[in-house]
Amino acid sequence: MAKKKRKKQEDLPEGMSRRQAKMAARAKEREALQKDPRPFGGLAAEAELIALQEFVPSASAKFQVNGEDVTVATVLPGAAAAMVREEAQGGERLVALQVGAHSQNPGRDLAYALSWVLEAEPGETLQSTAADGSQPELKALIDATFTPEITVHNDFNWWFAEGEDVPAQLRQAMNQANGAVWPSAEVSAGVPGAVWWVNPGGGKAHIRWIRTEDNESQVLNALARIAAKGELVLGEGTKFAGAFRTHGVVVPVWDLDPEVAPESYAEALKDLNVKLEAELANDAQLTAAERKQLDNIKSRQVTI
């Protein structure tokens, strides 16, 4: 008679039955799949982090992470999540927001990558930034009141330190990436959120204004009220194009003349912000004309 196979001994958490352990594991899986509505919410740098992840081709910003300097960038070589330069190249710690492998929770992913890069050795690279639950809260790593100064790059030559011996394959990849960098600039207008100008070619430049209000519907209603008055513009030759919805915030977009300098829109943005702030405080019902404008804005809203 054949002997009965013994069940493989399971390494169960202390005090848990097998059923309880399975339920706990499933709960952890569900939590990992649950998307954060505002992944960078509560941070003064929320708009800047959204810009780096979604709208800016090549840029970087310095953060203090548990007392260490870390460069948070748009893209790293090979779409890596994080890396530490060799000591001979300065040992800089870098983390990317636009990565090849990630989860649907960019705030947790960033916390995971920041935690990894603090412990990594010079020369090491992290390929996947997908959070595994071991990372702390993002607010425990970076100062929630800190707003970084973003450095915009015209190419990806900053990927490599001066004098670094770069393999031909990586040099070729960098040159290909350089060809995809659109001219971009942050517009300093002293208004809430972050304003970014970009010229993708094709005869139109764009301004994308990342607003970080808690109530998206209020922002859309305010835009609709201003549009109904014919005032949702940034001056002559500009046109309201629609709005992105990303990471729980609204990003209004305008089409522009690419020959006009980005900083020339600062005053128009300030004037529009005054109108927008006034309408955000308006809790009256929308008129028929305003509802029509709201429907028009929603019909062109793109979620990314």
Side-chain angles (χ1 to χ4, degrees), residues 64-295:
Q64 274 275 309
V65 183
N66 288 354
E68 297 284 345
D69 286 333
V70 176
T71 298
V72 176
T74 51
V75 185
L76 291 176
M83 60 182 286
V84 182
R85 294 194 196 278
E86 297 283 1
E87 290 287 2
Q89 279 80 49
E92 184 180 9
R93 303 175 190 276
L94 300 106
V95 167
L97 284 166
Q98 299 174 29
V99 299
H102 57 85
S103 76
Q104 62 176 352
N105 289 296
R108 299 181 200 177
D109 288 354
L110 177 57
Y112 178 78
L114 290 173
S115 297
W116 179 89
V117 84
L118 292 180
E119 302 298 329
E121 297 294 329
E124 288 189 319
T125 298
L126 176 69
Q127 289 300 330
S128 173
T129 189
D132 63 0
S134 65
Q135 74 284 346
E137 290 287 329
L138 188 54
K139 292 178 187 176
L141 293 169
I142 61 176
D143 182 356
T145 66
F146 174 69
T147 302
E149 182 177 342
I150 295 178
T151 300
V152 179
H153 306 282
N154 296 322
D155 50 39
F156 288 106
N157 294 343
W158 59 270
W159 275 354
F160 305 105
E162 187 175 351
E164 184 176 354
D165 184 19
V166 182
Q169 187 176 359
L170 285 180
R171 181 69 64 183
Q172 183 180 8
M174 183 186 70
N175 291 336
Q176 290 176 342
N178 286 345
V181 175
W182 295 343
S184 304
E186 187 171 14
V187 182
S188 298
V191 295
V195 182
W196 282 87
W197 175 94
V198 62
N199 182 9
K204 290 180 183 177
H206 308 287
I207 270 183
R208 297 161 176 168
W209 189 356
I210 303 166
R211 301 287 304 200
T212 56
E213 282 80 9
D214 290 332
N215 192 321
E216 296 174 58
S217 296
Q218 268 188 325
V219 178
L220 295 177
N221 287 348
L223 292 171
R225 288 192 174 99
I226 298 170
K229 299 173 185 175
E231 299 175 354
L232 194 54
V233 292
L234 294 175
E236 186 178 352
T238 68
K239 179 183 177 183
F240 178 70
F244 288 113
R245 181 183 182 277
T246 183
H247 301 323
V249 304
V250 175
V251 184
V253 180
W254 286 265
D255 291 338
L256 318 164
D257 181 349
E259 299 301 319
V260 178
E263 61 270 17
S264 66
Y265 294 103
E267 288 303 317
L269 285 160
K270 289 178 183 177
D271 292 342
L272 183 57
N273 185 63
V274 171
K275 298 172 184 177
L276 191 54
E277 296 285 353
E279 295 299 352
L280 285 170
N282 184 356
D283 58 1
Q285 293 290 322
L286 295 179
T287 66
E290 291 166 348
R291 284 197 300 273
K292 183 177 179 180
Q293 289 295 334
L294 179 61
D295 290 341

